[in-house]
Amino acid sequence: MFINGNTNASLNAAEDPESITAPLISRQRYAPNSTSQVALVGANVRPIESLDYEILENEFFKQDWRSCGKAHVLQYIFMKWVSCFLVGIVVGLIAFCNNLAVENIAGIKFVVTSNMMLQRRFWLAFAVFFFSNLGLTLFAVVVTAFVAPAAAGSGIPEVKAYLNGVDAPGIYSIKTLLVKIVGSVTAVSSSLLIGKAGPMVHTGACVASLLGQGGSKKHGLTWKWLRYFKNDRDRRDLVTCGAAAGIGASFRSPVGGVLFVFEEMASWWRSALLWRAFFTTAVIAIVLRALIDVCYSGKCGLFGTGGLIMFDVYSANISYHITDVPPVLLLGFVGGILGSLYNSLLTKVIRIYNIIHERGVVYKILIACTVSIFTSCLLFGLPWLATCRPCPRDAVEACPTIGRSGNYKKFQCPAGHYNDLASLIFNTNDDAIRNLFSKNTDSEFQYSSMIIFFVTCFFLSIFSYGVVVPAGLFVPVIVTGASYGRFFGMLVGKHSNLNHGLYAVLGAAALLGGTMRMTVSLCVIILELTNNLLLLPLIMVVLLVSKTTADAFNSNIYDLIMKAKGLPYLESHVEPYMRQLTVADVVTGPLQLFQGIEKVGNIVHILRTTGHNGFPVIDEPPLSETPVLFGIVLRAHLIELLKKKAFVSNPVLVSTDSFKLFSSVDFAKRGSGKGDKIEDIELTEEEMEMFIDLHPFTNTSPYTVVETMSLAKALILFREVGLRHLLVIPKLSNRTPVVGILTRHDFMPEHILSLHPMLVSSRWKRLRFQLPSPPKLI
């Protein structure tokens, strides 16, 4: 089967009524779609298509390229750098405003609640805390569910799939961008244990995509001077820079942002793209530095001088010895186990949530409100279980803390005492991380408070992520890992030279490595967060151990979510059984072909009765001595030819004068998920009897493979070049010029094993691809 426009989708649809193209988290079996695969995009199941990163070479393209002078080429290169600069500026401003809004909204909530606690009006304080959280959550889920369901979740799996060649509708629209920003601010401010780093990656990708396509024609926001990127390849590069900008802006980590995209997100990378991504994050670093200087003057309200997420807590020298390595290795090992458990539980919760979400928007709202109510009760109620502790005499800051943040929250304690659990749990995530990472506070927290906080964060972050709001995983994993590391350091105690704050940093690294399975980028991000290179050796060891341990159990969290959503991601490695198959073993027919000079009625009929996006074009006598493959023509180009009515009365070759009817903009790739439809074109009976010469608009150099090539080699070619269609030609010349077309879905392991079930045992197949046991498919 093919993902978009393959010629065998309808055949397999008849054979397999329970198509595996349905996302795993969907409870119902969707009927096979001959036009595209379906996947969960944000909060709704939508049909998806593939992107085409191949440069089409036809006569029209060559004529347009020959008409371009050196000035046009220089302008094209200049616009790439201008676009990256604009992405950096816009994403930097959005990140600053996001943090400013979250800190002030959450700050007002905690200040009002704390003031009531000081007045011993506990029930009123709980009511204010409870209803403010519920209201913020309700607003976030309503605006996400009704306005832009594609904005739900972190967005990183969708962006990663896009950079791999999967085009999901609506993920880069203006509505999605606005809801992502507003929904993330309100959801994070509502004390849900979610982060804003993941939504910032999606936000950066949205900004880059909108700039790459020149704005939004639908909403009347277009900029002609930005319309230089007419293909998926250029827009992919800009989206890559936008994703790097999102991480760089979230953590003020410009180098970490570039490495994150390189290690986790991008499927294609080259030195020119590295330069532009680095330039984009450098712009963000300068913008944030300038804006944070404004906050240092006290003009940011409750945002204060904290800046963005920046935990500069280890400016002093750190001394550690070889005897400290074994505890660190154990920390990483346990962190890897916890990370794999976290991933497993999270994917199960997401699937359960989506079973409920299928019942309608009301259930999405009920789930979010239930999680908000439960969270508010825990955050306000658990600190009452902790005993009040006397303030330390050598405290660096005021004790107890009066207000929103600080290491020594007073909560319900008498004068001169503080509640250590409230200092962590009755706080914003950023302030909780600062408290956990703080140095010279080894005696601040109790064992019971730390274990309660760890367990609460571990499970609350899992249950909070699946609600229909913009939600990230980075910050919750950092909070959970930091509490685990701090508790581990408390257990080690005086047997180690490392203080508890350093163990919190290493614990955060261990859980990040165990869930996200990155090494280099996470190492740099943590170093830029803590602002101390002395941590480098220990963080490297922890990440390597935790990732290696967790890889023995399951995949990284974003890959698991992509698989659960049904996004057809092509891995960089090939499975061993693919070397036992040839491309002829997975391609099927019948194949839809066009003649070089085709009748208009035939074109219209095929376009209306199929959803294919690519059609082989062949020449037969008298145009050639024998049937020969001329190339491949795209559905969008055929629709454009029909719309402009580039017809001739007789089946003859046309001259280059026909190019005057078109401009390069006519054949430029539309924005994501957009394009004309064949149903919108009206033709008379007389026009249906006319002809179109497809030769000038056919890609004459498509990538082809012989039918005896191994499937493994074909997959490597398909992925590395970034193809949408790969033509299969016969080995013998006396056969038809083309055997079939391979598309993305033909390389999906689930599809291959459904055609050849004897390749592997059903038990191994369920384990390897994490498919549920039949007949239960959710």
Side-chain angles (χ1 to χ4, degrees):
M1 281 189 279
F2 298 121
I3 184 171
N4 24 10
N6 71 35
T7 56
N8 53 7
S10 58
L11 180 66
N12 282 339
E15 296 177 354
D16 184 12
E18 295 183 342
S19 174
I20 58 172
T21 60
L24 300 181
I25 55 180
S26 176
R27 183 176 55 176
Q28 69 182 63
R29 305 285 187 95
Y30 286 84
N33 191 329
S34 62
T35 61
S36 63
Q37 189 178 359
V38 295
L40 192 78
V41 181
N44 287 353
V45 175
R46 302 289 300 277
I48 58 174
E49 296 188 354
S50 286
L51 299 169
D52 195 347
Y53 295 142
E54 178 188 4
I55 299 298
L56 300 181
E57 296 179 349
N58 52 41
E59 285 300 321
F60 180 80
F61 169 81
K62 294 175 183 177
Q63 182 76 9
D64 181 65
W65 185 255
R66 284 192 292 265
S67 65
C68 297
K70 184 179 292 185
H72 183 85
V73 175
L74 291 176
Q75 190 176 15
Y76 169 74
I77 297 174
F78 176 73
M79 284 307 302
K80 284 188 174 183
W81 290 95
V82 169
S83 298
C84 291
F85 177 78
L86 292 176
V87 169
I89 294 290
V90 175
V91 175
L93 290 173
I94 292 174
F96 179 79
C97 293
N98 273 10
N99 282 273
L100 188 67
V102 169
E103 292 291 321
N104 279 280
I105 294 174
I108 292 173
K109 177 182 65 180
F110 282 114
V111 166
V112 172
T113 305
S114 298
N115 289 337
M116 293 181 179
M117 296 288 288
L118 289 174
Q119 300 170 14
R120 318 297 289 180
R121 302 167 69 183
F122 299 127
W123 283 107
L124 184 58
F126 173 70
V128 170
F129 184 73
F130 176 89
F131 285 108
S132 60
N133 288 341
L134 184 61
L136 290 168
T137 302
L138 185 61
F139 175 83
V141 68
V142 168
V143 73
T144 304
F146 284 101
V147 180
S154 71
I156 289 181
E158 285 83 357
V159 175
K160 184 176 179 179
Y162 176 89
L163 296 179
N164 190 256
V166 179
D167 186 17
I171 60 171
Y172 294 139
S173 67
I174 285 187
K175 288 196 302 183
T176 302
L177 173 61
L178 295 177
V179 171
K180 203 76 180 185
I181 296 172
V182 176
S184 176
V185 168
T186 53
V188 173
S189 302
S190 69
S191 293
L192 291 177
L193 200 59
I194 55 178
K196 48 187 181 289
M200 271 307 304
V201 173
H202 193 182
T203 299
C206 284
V207 171
S209 178
L210 289 170
L211 288 175
Q213 65 191 40
S216 174
K217 187 176 181 180
K218 178 180 178 181
H219 296 89
L221 300 173
T222 57
W223 307 281
K224 293 183 178 180
W225 56 279
L226 281 175
R227 293 183 183 176
Y228 279 86
F229 308 115
K230 304 173 183 177
N231 55 70
D232 289 327
R233 182 187 296 243
D234 289 334
R235 293 173 185 172
R236 173 197 69 192
D237 291 349
L238 196 56
V239 168
T240 303
C241 296
I247 285 293
S250 298
F251 299 112
R252 278 176 62 195
S253 175
V255 180
V258 175
L259 293 176
F260 173 81
V261 173
F262 173 69
E263 185 176 3
E264 175 63 18
M265 303 286 290
S267 297
W268 296 276
W269 197 262
R270 59 188 188 279
S271 58
L273 181 57
L274 175 66
W275 273 100
R276 291 201 296 274
F278 185 74
F279 171 72
T280 306
T281 57
V283 171
I284 281 182
I286 295 173
V287 170
L288 293 180
R289 182 69 265 172
L291 293 174
I292 289 171
D293 283 341
V294 176
C295 287
Y296 284 150
S297 62
K299 299 178 181 179
C300 295
L302 293 171
F303 194 64
T305 59
L308 300 182
I309 301 176
M310 188 68 175
F311 312 114
D312 187 4
V313 292
Y314 287 104
S315 57
N317 291 335
I318 302 169
S319 60
Y320 47 87
H321 308 285
I322 192 65
T323 55
D324 297 316
V325 174
V328 170
L329 293 176
L330 180 60
L331 177 73
F333 176 76
V334 177
I337 295 176
L338 290 174
S340 62
L341 176 63
Y342 187 94
N343 290 0
S344 178
L345 293 176
L346 182 61
T347 51
K348 286 180 172 59
V349 169
I350 290 176
R351 294 185 183 191
I352 294 172
Y353 276 177
N354 281 277
I355 291 174
I356 303 173
H357 290 165
E358 284 181 358
R359 299 186 177 185
V361 177
V362 174
Y363 287 87
K364 297 176 182 179
I365 296 174
L366 286 177
I367 285 289
C369 291
T370 302
V371 173
S372 176
I373 292 170
F374 188 66
T375 301
S376 297
C377 292
L378 283 180
L379 298 188
F380 194 90
L382 287 178
W384 293 86
L385 301 178
T387 58
C388 295
R389 310 190 71 189
C391 291
R393 296 180 179 179
D394 56 348
V396 178
E397 60 181 72
C399 179
T401 302
I402 305 297
R404 173 181 67 91
S405 60
N407 272 36
Y408 306 101
K409 278 272 190 176
K410 186 176 185 298
F411 205 67
Q412 89 289 8
C413 295
H417 292 71
Y418 71 97
N419 188 314
D420 61 333
L421 184 54
S423 300
L424 299 174
I425 207 167
F426 196 69
N427 222 334
T428 63
N429 292 332
D430 297 356
D431 288 329
I433 295 174
R434 289 189 182 93
N435 293 345
L436 290 168
F437 283 5
S438 60
K439 58 185 178 181
N440 301 324
T441 56
D442 288 2
S443 60
E444 178 182 343
F445 301 103
Q446 304 175 77
Y447 288 93
S448 58
S449 297
M450 196 55 59
I451 193 63
I452 289 174
F453 182 66
F454 166 71
V455 173
T456 302
C457 290
F458 189 89
F459 289 102
L460 266 188
S461 60
I462 290 174
F463 285 99
S464 299
Y465 182 78
V467 299
V468 184
V469 297
L473 282 173
F474 254 102
V475 172
V477 171
I478 291 176
V479 175
T480 307
S483 60
Y484 151 67
R486 185 108 186 180
F487 180 73
F488 187 92
M490 294 167 67
L491 293 178
V492 175
K494 297 181 179 179
H495 299 288
S496 174
N497 297 300
L498 308 178
N499 64 62
H500 297 173
L502 179 53
Y503 270 112
V505 176
L506 297 178
L511 197 59
L512 282 170
T515 55
M516 302 184 182
R517 313 296 164 80
M518 292 173 282
T519 53
V520 179
S521 58
L522 287 179
C523 184
V524 173
I525 289 173
I526 294 173
L527 288 177
E528 289 181 301
L529 280 178
T530 56
N531 199 27
N532 198 319
L533 282 174
L534 295 176
L535 299 175
L536 179 60
L538 295 178
I539 292 176
M540 290 175 65
V541 169
V542 165
L543 286 172
L544 288 171
V545 172
S546 62
K547 172 181 164 43
T548 304
T549 303
D551 281 340
F553 298 97
N554 49 34
S555 303
N556 77 66
I557 187 60
Y558 297 124
D559 287 348
L560 291 175
I561 294 175
M562 278 196 301
K563 185 176 290 292
K565 284 176 173 285
L567 296 169
Y569 185 85
L570 292 178
E571 298 287 352
S572 58
H573 65 276
V574 297
E575 299 295 340
Y577 62 80
M578 290 186 179
R579 302 194 181 277
Q580 305 174 29
L581 299 173
T582 64
V583 293
D585 294 326
V586 297
V587 67
T588 57
L591 186 65
Q592 298 287 357
L593 300 171
F594 283 132
Q595 302 293 325
I597 302 176
E598 187 60 80
K599 192 174 181 179
V600 173
N602 292 341
I603 296 176
V604 172
H605 173 73
I606 291 177
L607 292 181
R608 286 179 176 174
T609 56
T610 68
H612 309 340
N613 284 279
F615 302 90
V617 176
I618 61 172
D619 277 339
E620 294 182 340
L623 296 178
S624 62
E625 295 181 359
T626 59
V628 61
L629 174 65
F630 185 80
I632 186 172
V633 64
L634 298 182
R635 180 186 189 89
H637 293 182
L638 290 172
I639 292 177
E640 190 65 31
L641 292 174
L642 293 173
K643 188 169 70 171
K644 290 296 182 69
K645 300 187 177 182
F647 308 149
V648 292
S649 301
N650 299 311
V652 295
L653 296 172
V654 299
S655 64
T656 56
D657 294 337
S658 62
F659 294 163
K660 296 178 181 179
L661 293 173
F662 305 96
S663 66
S664 59
V665 177
D666 295 329
F667 293 98
K669 177 66 183 290
R670 302 294 195 273
S672 179
K674 302 175 183 176
D676 297 316
K677 298 180 180 180
I678 184 63
E679 291 78 11
D680 300 330
I681 297 177
E682 297 181 359
L683 299 173
T684 64
E685 291 293 334
E686 182 181 356
E687 290 171 335
M688 296 286 277
E689 297 298 322
M690 300 179 76
F691 298 88
I692 298 180
D693 182 9
L694 300 179
H695 292 95
F697 309 98
T698 299
N699 180 14
T700 57
S701 57
Y703 283 89
T704 60
V705 294
V706 68
E707 61 182 341
T708 55
M709 175 182 280
S710 73
L711 193 61
K713 278 188 175 182
L715 172 59
I716 294 173
L717 173 65
F718 193 93
R719 188 184 190 276
E720 292 302 319
V721 181
L723 300 178
R724 186 176 188 176
H725 307 99
L726 181 60
L727 298 183
V728 180
I729 58 176
K731 187 174 184 180
L732 301 177
S733 59
N734 58 353
R735 295 173 55 191
T736 177
V738 60
V739 175
I741 301 179
L742 290 174
T743 60
R744 175 175 295 267
H745 185 58
D746 292 296
F747 295 103
M748 290 294 104
E750 296 86 351
H751 169 66
I752 298 170
L753 294 176
S754 69
L755 295 177
H756 305 279
M758 298 303 294
L759 284 173
V760 66
S761 67
S762 60
R763 180 177 183 273
W764 183 90
K765 181 166 55 177
R766 288 196 299 270
L767 291 175
R768 175 60 183 86
F769 300 106
Q770 296 164 357
L771 295 175
S773 301
K776 296 179 181 179
L777 182 64
I778 62 172

